[in-house]
């Protein structure tokens, strides 16, 4: 069962919860990645690494304009063309124009959340271009016509049987459930696309300001193929993806690889500093870097700058009990899990566009403990809830309920009287139903829909304490 990402939030969640296969697939994969992360971080001074990376990222954010200028200067010096994109339409237009000017009818892409954010594939396809995802997970969900459901593992929600069905339908693969055969078929098809492509597009895991270098991290080698084989290479980079020096790049690389996949280092780390120079045997003739804002500076101004420290490792998703239950598509945005519940509303022109997401959390703090840069995600989620209340985006029934509760708690007599009424009523109702209460009217039916409600104690603590005190005085 596929979650309809265009459905209302509650419908998406219900669709996800109604699919037992989804929960099994997501839980198995996230448990595996969490265990790998813990083992990998334990192999080094994990807490020290987290502290060092956070300090470096905070330093970058404190000197953001300077490092962006330094990056632009060095990229230009290296022969790259730098473009600034304020929003989605700007970024789409820039990449589309580059492709059309170079007659790049086939575009191959490495995995990129930034290009998902700007809906680049749809924009290029509307312009008559063919776009092929080359990361295996992204390739599968492109064939299935679905968005990614995880920052690192986009096809985490699908079982092997479902992937086999996609390959049989879209690639005419003979019936098989052997991963090696399926991977070999995908590799052969994608190799043809690499040789025919006129333009390659990727995201950017981080960019080194002092050298003007774009870095992408992969385990399949497709990133290097995308950035070196086509004549034109375009990197779409969120403007927060900066590190000052080469040493800082390898510091962040350690944290990213260990937190994302539990590896000491991914199989490939591709670094591109500019187009092919005279005497080079390979490499692109043109390199374009699109520096994407799309709400990031607004996020900082709103007080959510800490979320810009995120290195997109996905560790918070793997640790989150809510994500494990509903998967990624139920969040309804490009980014999912705890970080998505912060980034999606904070990036949006109006926070209320994603008003449900700050409530898609148990506030257990597991995400904060897993984050390699120690982002305090529970606090940011509470801040978003507060801002939504200030903007009047919370339901009127919720505001009325809180005011009523505050009034009740400020009057001892009213509190005790209502407690007695609740005790009498709930015990009478429970007696009629033969035990616990199995149904209550709205909105309390949200509880009894999934569990019984125990009746109130026949005697309150205050009553018990008064009687106990009275008996002591008598004795």
């Amino acid at each position: 069962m596929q979650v309809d990402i265009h459905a209302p939030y509650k419908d998406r969640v219900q669709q996800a919860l109604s699919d037992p296969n989804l929960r099994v697939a997501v839980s198995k994969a996230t448990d595996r990645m969490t265990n790998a992360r813990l083992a990998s971080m334990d192999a080094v001074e994990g807490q020290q690494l987290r502290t060092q990376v956070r300090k470096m990222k905070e330093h970058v954010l404190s000197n953001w304009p300077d490092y962006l200028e330094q990056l632009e200067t060095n990229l230009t010096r290296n022969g790259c063309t730098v473009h600034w994109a304020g929003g989605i339409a700007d970024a789409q237009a820039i990449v589309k124009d580059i492709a059309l000017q170079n007659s790049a009818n086939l575009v191959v892409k490495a995995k990129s959340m930034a290009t998902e954010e700007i809906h680049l594939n749809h924009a290029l396809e509307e312009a008559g271009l063919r776009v092929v995802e080359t990361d295996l997970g992204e390739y599968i969900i492109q064939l299935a016509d679905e968005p990614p459901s995880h920052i690192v593992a986009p096809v985490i929600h699908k079982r092997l049987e479902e992937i086999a069905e996609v390959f049989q339908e879209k690639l005419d693969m003979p019936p098989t459930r052997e991963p090696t055969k399926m991977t070999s078929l995908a590799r052969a098809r994608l190799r043809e696309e690499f040789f025919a492509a006129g333009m390659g597009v990727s995201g950017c895991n981080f960019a080194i300001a002092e050298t003007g270098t774009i870095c992408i991290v992969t385990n399949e080698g497709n990133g290097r193929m995308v950035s070196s084989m086509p004549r034109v290479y375009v990197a779409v980079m969120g403007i927060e993806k900066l590190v000052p020096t080469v040493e800082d790049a390898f510091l962040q690389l350690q944290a990213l690889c260990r937190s994302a996949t539990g590896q000491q280092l991914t199989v490939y780390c591709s670094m591109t500093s500019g187009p092919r120079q005279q005497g080079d045997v390979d490499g692109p003739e043109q390199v374009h870097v699109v520096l994407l804002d799309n709400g990031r500076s607004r996020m900082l101004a709103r007080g959510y700058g800490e979320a810009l420290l995120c290195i997109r490792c996905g560790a918070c998703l793997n640790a989150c009990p809510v994500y494990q239950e509903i998967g990624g598509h139920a969040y309804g945005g490009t980014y999912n899990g705890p970080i998505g519940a912060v980034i999606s509303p904070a990036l949006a022109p109006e926070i209320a566009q994603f008003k449900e997401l700050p409530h898609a959390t148990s506030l257990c703090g597991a995400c904060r403990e897993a984050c390699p840069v120690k982002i305090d995600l529970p606090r940011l989620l509470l801040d978003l809830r507060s801002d939504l209340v200030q903007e009047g985006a919370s339901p009127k029934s919720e505001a009325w309920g809180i005011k009523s509760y505050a009034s009740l708690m400020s009057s001892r007599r009213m509190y005790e009287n209502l407690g007695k009424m609740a005790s009498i009523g709930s015990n009478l109702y429970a007696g009629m139903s033969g035990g616990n209460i199995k149904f209550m009217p709205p909105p309390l039916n949200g509880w009894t829909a999934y569990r019984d409600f125990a009746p109130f104690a026949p005697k309150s603590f205050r009553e018990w304490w008064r009687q106990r005190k009275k008996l002591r005085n008598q004795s």
Side-chain angles (χ1 to χ4, degrees), residues 27-38:
S27 293
K28 284 177 63 177
T30 54
D31 286 348
R32 184 172 61 249
M33 288 190 284
T34 294
N35 291 334
R37 174 183 62 81
L38 291 171

Side-chain angles (χ1 to χ4, degrees), residues 359 385 388-389 393-405:
H359 298 276
R385 292 183 185 185
L388 286 167
V389 171
S394 56
K396 287 184 170 53
S397 57
E398 181 181 289
W400 177 85
I402 291 173
K403 286 181 180 179
S404 300
Y405 178 75

